[in-house]
Amino acid sequence: MTAQTPQFLLETQRSNWVRLRTLVILRWFAVVGQSIAIVFAYSYFELQIPIGLCATAVGVAVLGNLIAIFVYPENKRLSDREALSMLAFDVLQLGFLLFLTGGLHNPFAVLILAPVTIAATFLHLRQTVLLGLFAILLITFVAEFHIPIETNEGFILRFPSIFLFGFWLALVIGVVFLGIYAHRVITEMHNMSDALAATQLALAREQKLTDLGGVVAAAAHELGTPLATITLVSSELMNELDKGSEKYDDAVLIRDQADRCRDILRSMGQSGKDDLLLKHAPLETVVQEAAAPHVSRGKLVNFVVKSDADDRQPTILRKPEIIHGVRNLIQNAVDFSTSEVVVESRWTEDTISIRISDDGRGFPSHVIGRLGDPFLNRRRIGLRPGYEGMGLGLFIAKTLLERSGATLTFSNGGQSRKSSALAGAIVEVIWPRNEVETPFHGETKALGENQQFEL
């Protein structure tokens, strides 16, 4: 079953995660650095720069920080527009300083890359592109129009034209490359973080279902004898009473209600089991339990059991990770199949494996190597029209199954025709036997006392 993505994971306002205080502190560092550079250039190197205008430019940055500190609370989170405005202001302020101090002839022009790189780490791609274009336009402007830097002797400090063009081109490439690189890395980090959070939620949900089913199974076990007694006594009363009498109808009602209680407890127990008897089960039983929600969806689901070792079917642990992971894989196979899905359980002396195949079109060859990555949804593979989701199903299944010790491989039937596998997509899950097989090895042991569940 594909986990339903919680609402907070659908939130795309990544910039809301950044506090105003963070950008304010970064701007203070910029102000200090600019002040030191201006003072050092003017007093030590005795460069003829408009010191008053430079001080004004730095003062505007200080004023902007003071307004941000006193107007907004310290823990304010920035929206996309607010963050873009602050970073655009920083680019403009730095561009004005470069205009006053030689344009691209000033080696500190490389600092124009900083705001763009910062923007790429938390703004959306559209805002990052806008800021990058603004920075490129500003770089181009100050390359042509600027106040030249003069020494105390009246010499103008400038690069040769070819070096100036090279520096401009390097800055433009830097804006584009660093912006794309930083945005790509941060996007991957956010995707993985969100996907892992969804995986934890899916596992927690499966664990809660298992615990609830365990409580129901324990209740059904404890209530079985009283319900059987009520059914027996009511049947005996029916035999002694005249049909059609009021007491006979009461006895029938008592028996029917006892049967109904038994059926309710049995059906509730199907959602999960965790009593002492069913902490482990035969491999085929675990596979069929995982597939249960999808065997009646209009597609033929065939179960095949094969052994390459001996005739004794291994008994494995009923871990929520295994149940939920295999269930996700079977759901994907049913979703993409034409009419049939084959679930093959196999074991050898060293391994236990489950191979799930369908008769659909198979995996696109260009994405097989990326299957299991988070957010690989239909917009990238285009195989499930009308399906809406974040593409986390395979990632959740892969993560949970690998947590249980499994190794997953993805292939197509046309590429790897194995045993009873169909010609569509094939997913194979392989565990070392010592990772999932119970230590009982099929031996019968006393169950002992039922243990209390902690809710």
Side-chain angles (χ1 to χ4, degrees):
M1 155 173 62
T2 302
Q4 182 177 2
T5 305
Q7 183 62 33
F8 76 90
L9 291 182
L10 298 176
E11 183 62 50
T12 58
Q13 297 292 331
R14 284 207 325 237
S15 60
N16 287 344
W17 298 356
V18 178
R19 294 185 303 168
L20 173 65
R21 176 182 174 83
T22 302
L23 294 185
V24 167
I25 291 176
L26 291 176
R27 186 179 290 170
W28 281 128
F29 279 111
V31 166
V32 172
Q34 292 170 1
S35 301
I36 293 175
I38 292 171
V39 171
F40 201 74
Y42 186 78
S43 60
Y44 183 80
F45 290 106
E46 297 182 348
L47 299 179
Q48 302 302 306
I49 58 176
I51 189 67
L53 291 176
C54 291
T56 301
V58 176
V60 170
V62 172
L63 181 62
N65 259 8
L66 293 177
I67 292 175
I69 292 173
F70 289 108
V71 172
Y72 298 102
E74 185 175 352
N75 61 348
K76 176 179 173 56
R77 302 282 176 174
L78 296 174
S79 66
D80 279 345
R81 182 174 298 180
E82 291 168 340
L84 179 61
S85 299
M86 285 199 66
L87 292 173
F89 172 83
D90 291 335
V91 171
L92 183 62
Q93 188 262 352
L94 181 57
F96 182 57
L97 270 179
L98 292 176
F99 171 78
L100 298 175
T101 56
L104 296 191
H105 300 282
N106 186 337
F108 288 102
V110 71
L111 294 177
I112 202 76
L113 300 175
V116 179
T117 305
I118 293 173
T121 60
F122 61 85
L123 285 180
H124 290 151
L125 181 60
R126 183 176 61 181
Q127 283 79 13
T128 303
V129 169
L130 289 176
L131 188 66
L133 291 176
F134 179 60
I136 292 174
L137 290 175
L138 200 59
I139 291 170
T140 305
F141 177 82
V142 297
E144 293 293 332
F145 307 99
H146 54 267
I147 298 176
I149 303 176
E150 294 186 19
T151 64
N152 197 30
E153 293 82 12
F155 294 106
I156 297 178
L157 301 179
R158 64 172 64 248
F159 290 141
S161 298
I162 189 170
F163 285 163
L164 181 64
F165 175 77
F167 191 31
W168 172 85
L169 186 60
L171 289 178
V172 171
I173 294 175
V175 168
V176 175
F177 174 76
L178 290 178
I180 294 175
Y181 180 82
H183 188 272
R184 182 68 178 176
V185 170
I186 292 298
T187 299
E188 292 291 335
M189 291 175 60
H190 284 304
N191 286 351
M192 184 62 69
S193 176
D194 291 347
L196 289 175
T199 303
Q200 293 294 335
L201 289 174
L203 180 59
R205 179 179 180 274
E206 190 69 27
Q207 186 65 57
K208 287 181 180 179
L209 288 176
T210 300
D211 292 344
L212 176 61
V215 174
V216 174
H221 176 71
E222 298 296 335
L223 294 175
T225 300
L227 289 174
T229 302
I230 294 172
T231 302
L232 178 61
V233 172
S234 61
S235 298
E236 292 179 352
L237 288 175
M238 289 169 57
N239 292 332
E240 297 178 0
L241 296 172
D242 296 331
K243 290 185 178 182
S245 64
E246 184 177 349
K247 292 184 178 180
Y248 179 87
D249 293 338
D250 291 341
V252 172
L253 180 62
I254 291 173
R255 186 192 64 179
D256 292 343
Q257 293 303 310
D259 291 340
R260 184 185 177 193
C261 290
R262 180 192 59 203
D263 295 338
I264 291 174
L265 289 171
R266 182 182 297 128
S267 64
M268 291 176 62
Q270 296 301 315
S271 62
K273 307 174 183 66
D274 195 31
D275 60 3
L276 292 177
L277 177 63
L278 292 177
K279 281 182 176 293
H280 48 85
L283 173 62
E284 183 180 10
T285 302
V286 174
V287 171
Q288 290 182 353
E289 180 184 349
H294 306 294
V295 295
S296 58
R297 293 179 50 199
K299 307 289 181 66
L300 178 62
V301 181
N302 291 322
F303 296 94
V304 179
V305 180
K306 293 188 176 181
S307 171
D308 296 330
D310 51 44
D311 294 333
R312 179 183 55 81
Q313 185 172 163
T315 300
I316 67 173
L317 296 170
R318 289 187 62 263
K319 293 183 177 181
E321 294 95 326
I322 296 176
I323 300 293
H324 195 89
V326 173
R327 182 173 296 161
N328 267 8
L329 296 178
I330 293 175
Q331 180 192 5
N332 285 337
V334 172
D335 287 343
F336 286 102
S337 67
T338 302
S339 60
E340 184 180 2
V341 173
V342 172
V343 183
E344 179 181 319
S345 305
R346 181 189 293 267
W347 63 93
T348 66
E349 293 182 357
D350 301 318
T351 63
I352 294 174
S353 64
I354 299 173
R355 182 182 296 122
I356 302 167
S357 60
D358 60 68
D359 60 351
R361 291 185 291 175
F363 298 119
S365 58
H366 65 283
V367 299
I368 284 184
R370 298 174 53 206
L371 290 174
D373 287 349
F375 303 95
L376 186 63
N377 58 21
R378 69 179 180 89
R379 290 176 297 177
R380 298 187 183 181
I381 62 178
L383 283 183
R384 195 185 301 183
Y387 176 78
E388 294 295 337
M390 296 177 71
L392 290 178
L394 278 179
F395 173 82
I396 291 175
K398 185 172 183 289
T399 302
L400 293 179
L401 291 171
E402 287 178 345
R403 176 180 294 184
S404 70
T407 301
L408 276 73
T409 58
F410 302 91
S411 61
N412 288 323
Q415 300 171 359
S416 177
R417 187 78 180 185
K418 298 181 180 179
S419 61
S420 58
L422 297 175
I426 298 177
V427 182
E428 188 167 14
V429 188
I430 303 176
W431 293 271
R433 287 188 70 150
N434 59 358
E435 290 286 344
V436 293
E437 190 172 18
T438 62
F440 308 124
H441 299 289
E443 299 177 8
T444 303
K445 295 196 174 185
L447 297 179
E449 294 290 333
N450 285 332
Q451 298 179 356
Q452 291 184 345
F453 288 90
E454 295 181 1
L455 298 179

